[in-house]
Amino acid sequence: MHNGLVAIPADIRSFDGYTWHAAPDQYIRAAIDGAGVLPLVVPALEDGADVDMVLDRVDGVLISGSRTNVHPSHYGEEETESHGPFDPARDRVSMELIRRAIERGIPLLAICRGIQELNVALGGSLATEIQELPGRIDHRKPETPDRDEAFAIRHSIKIKEGSCLASILGSGEAQVNSLHRQAISRIAPRLATEAVAEDGTVEAVSVIDAPGFAIGVQWHPEYWVGSDHVSDRIFAAFGEAVRTRHKQPAQAAE
Ligand SMILES: N[C@@H](CCC(=O)NCCCC(=O)O)C(=O)O
């Protein structure tokens, strides 16, 4: 049986002539196989959702990656061609879930677009097309039809000593995959940098003084759950935090 229920905010996608509220299966599988929890996909509603009603009923929040980007108006910048594509409904529900989960101490794991939403939700900003910035490596998804190649482990990060992530993975070097064009620019006041890539790109953060597990990573640990130690440890730690909450639920929000 599953040891807790975890909300995953959906993306808006269109195919087969319909509009769908969708979450990629690799996050569903990683939640089940890596964290031992049951995921629950939350619809993406541009007018907003009652996120406290959701959070009263779950034990954790998992924010997935996506090819779309947070709209720059959320961090005070004008939209340009390089900022798209967008998913305003995902922006709205995901960032409201993030803020309230942190306030209520509900375990939060934010991946790729998720760490970017976490940073923006708490007052930070993003840089776009970072591969064009001086000194940056190319963090984009490799152009290949092969999913394993696209998600291949391909650059190192340095995990800060004494960080939350170091308590999960140990400090020092780790190897991760990379499929992103944007990254944290101005880090939110309540976030601590936990790991950086060799070019200085922020690769992991934690929420300062968070009452619960609250970590964001720029890479994709969900993809290699079951065959990669870093991926397995991250999802196991998230699952442990969710299990603990499931056993000792806090009072519902007033
Ligand atoms: N769109 C943002 C976030 C990147 C992200 O979440 N990538 C996952 C998509 C994987 C795929 O393309 O299949 C950015 O580009 O920085």
Side-chain angles (χ1 to χ4, degrees), residues 27 64-69 111-114 116 141 147 151 179-183 218 220:
Y27 299 89
S64 74
S66 173
R67 293 181 189 163
T68 63
N69 297 322
I111 294 174
C112 207
R113 192 196 209 261
Q116 298 168 2
K141 178 172 80 168
R147 294 290 283 172
F151 283 84
L179 298 94
H180 60 107
R181 302 162 31 219
Q182 297 196 335
Q218 186 62 73
H220 287 269

Side-chain angles (χ1 to χ4, degrees), residues 144-151 223:
T144 169
D146 182 301
R147 294 290 283 172
D148 285 356
E149 276 178 36
F151 283 84
Y223 191 83

Side-chain angles (χ1 to χ4, degrees), residues 92-114:
R92 172 84 188 258
V93 172
S94 189
M95 289 198 279
E96 286 180 358
L97 266 178
I98 286 169
R99 289 188 194 99
R100 282 297 288 149
I102 292 167
E103 287 164 8
R104 295 178 57 172
I106 295 173
L108 169 70
L109 176 58
I111 294 174
C112 207
R113 192 196 209 261

Side-chain angles (χ1 to χ4, degrees), residues 37-73:
V37 300
L38 181 63
L40 192 69
V41 178
V42 179
L45 304 173
E46 199 165 350
D47 294 338
D50 183 339
V51 293
D52 273 313
M53 190 186 291
V54 173
L55 294 173
D56 285 347
R57 291 161 176 79
V58 300
D59 310 292
V61 176
L62 174 61
I63 311 285
S64 74
S66 173
R67 293 181 189 163
T68 63
N69 297 322
V70 179
H71 195 278
S73 59

Side-chain angles (χ1 to χ4, degrees), residues 69-70 72 75 77-86 127-132 181-182:
N69 297 322
V70 179
Y75 47 95
E77 292 186 17
E78 289 297 313
E79 169 186 334
T80 68
E81 186 74 22
S82 70
H83 284 102
F86 300 120
T128 195
E129 303 303 356
I130 58 170
Q131 67 281 353
E132 295 169 6
R181 302 162 31 219
Q182 297 196 335

